[in-house]
Structures are given as structure tokens and as C-alpha cells.
Amino acid sequence: MRIGLLSDVHANLPALEEVLRDLRGRGVDVLLHAGDVVGYNPFPNEVIEVFQREEIRTILGNHDRAVLTGDNYWFNSVAATALRWTRACLESSSVSYLRSLKPRMELEIGGSKLLVVHGSPEDADEYIYEGDLREDILPPGFDALVMGHTHVPFVRRLAGALVVNPGSVGQPRDGDPRASYALLDVGQGHGELRRVEYDARRVVRAIEAASLPQFLGVRLLEGR
Ligand code: ZN
């Protein structure tokens, strides 16, 4: 069983479309997403539509949660502005969709057990980079742990399990502006990181048209 692993799409429709195009013909059986469907970028309703149409199974990220609660005390001002904008333009069907999401997902795929969380197994808001990995991060009994949130990708084998952060489709922060995702074969214990070029300028134009903070476009072009 091959898994297409996505995270942090953040309402970036052009990036998501390009990643889905890249995934075609790669024999992927299931698409998973580690949270943050919306926030930052200006295509939240369109992206939620694609998630439903393509049956991308996702958990709730911290931005998705904040959009529902309006609770943004811990956001910087750019994220908070984008959050208010997203709340104002979400259609009711999109709100229902976000409300249906759970903060974590445990699944069995092809005989392998996967845990998908946004931050860490302990805390959805915790940032775990590759250098932070320790064996005790793995809850017992899982063959793979998937995390998002940092927007920085890695694949590591740790104590017999695969630990993967597929990076961010919609707002990469590792200096490479291309959309990031991963292909996973849990049975084989194999994960591959992929990068996909997309039309970030289209998003920058939409950010300007929506009067969202300019920095949101700059960071897309620079991958930070
Ligand atoms: Zn995020």
C-alpha cells in the first residue's frame, strides 16, 4: 500500500493542485494530511472542496482549530490577520467540514499501524524538528508516526518505526519554495520526500487582491 502524505496545505490551491498532479500515476492508494487545511493563504473554500472531492483524509491543525474558535492569542499578527480573513470568508459547508475533523488519526493500512498528529503525539501545538527526535516520542505499537506543523520535511527510521514530516504543501519554510510532500510505503519501511514546482505568483496576486499581509506572498516566493 502506497500512501501520499501531505501536510499544511494552508489554503494554497495552486500548490495543492500541482501536488495532486504529481501524485497521479504513482500507484497511491490513500491520501493523508497532517492538519492545517486553511490559514495564511486565500483559497480556503476551494481547498476544502478539493479535500472532499479527492478524499484526502485529514486531522485538525492548530490553524483549522483557531478558525473555528476564533482563539488566536498565540498567533503573530500576520497569522492573526489571515485567520480573521479566513473566518470571514468561510462558507458554512466549509465550517461544517472543519468541525468534523479530529485532532489525531490512528489507522491500519496494509497491516501497518499509523499515527497521524499535527505537532507531536503529546501536543498538537508542539514543534518537532528532525533534531528533536528521541525514541520516547514514539507511542508503542505503531509502525509509522506522521507529524506536520513545522513546515520542514524529514524522513527518519527510529526504533523500528518510520517517522515522517512531509513538510508543507502550501507554505514551505526550509528555504525551498516548491511544495513539499512525501510518498510512504509503510510495509517496506520506506519514505520518499518530493518537491513540486507550482505557480506561487498566482497565490501572491490573490493575497494582494484579498488585502492580506504582503509578507504572506514574500514568504511563499522565498520558502521561509
Ligand atoms: Zn501550519
Side-chain angles (χ1 to χ4, degrees), residues 8 10 36 63 118 149 151:
D8 296 270
H10 280 298
D36 279 358
H63 284 252
H118 187 60
H149 195 42
H151 299 206

Side-chain angles (χ1 to χ4, degrees), residues 56-105:
I56 303 171
R57 298 175 63 179
T58 183
I59 55 169
L60 190 79
N62 58 315
H63 284 252
D64 306 321
R65 188 185 68 224
V67 159
L68 292 175
T69 61
D71 184 2
N72 65 359
Y73 65 93
W74 47 273
F75 274 37
N76 63 42
S77 77
V78 169
T81 304
L83 181 82
R84 276 194 300 277
W85 183 91
T86 303
R87 271 170 73 81
C89 87
L90 270 192
E91 290 162 10
S92 62
S93 58
S94 300
V95 174
S96 310
Y97 174 80
L98 292 177
R99 277 211 186 106
S100 73
L101 304 179
K102 305 277 182 292
R104 58 195 271 143
M105 183 159 57

Side-chain angles (χ1 to χ4, degrees), residues 11-42:
N12 186 336
L13 181 69
L16 176 59
E17 284 174 335
E18 224 41 70
V19 162
L20 291 173
R21 205 162 289 146
D22 191 74
L23 272 160
R24 259 170 231 145
R26 293 191 189 279
V28 164
D29 304 288
V30 57
L31 290 170
L32 303 179
H33 179 260
D36 279 358
V37 182
V38 300
Y40 293 129
N41 295 302

Side-chain angles (χ1 to χ4, degrees), residues 7-8 12 14-16 18-19 22 151-153 166-181 193-200 219-224:
S7 191
D8 296 270
N12 186 336
L16 176 59
E18 224 41 70
V19 162
D22 191 74
H151 299 206
V152 177
S168 173
V169 171
Q171 193 194 77
R173 291 183 193 157
D174 60 347
D176 182 344
R178 293 174 300 168
S180 180
Y181 81 95
L193 296 172
R194 293 193 57 81
R195 299 307 282 248
V196 182
E197 205 112 31
Y198 75 97
D199 186 3
R219 73 189 308 178
L220 288 184
L221 298 176
E222 296 179 356
R224 67 180 168 110

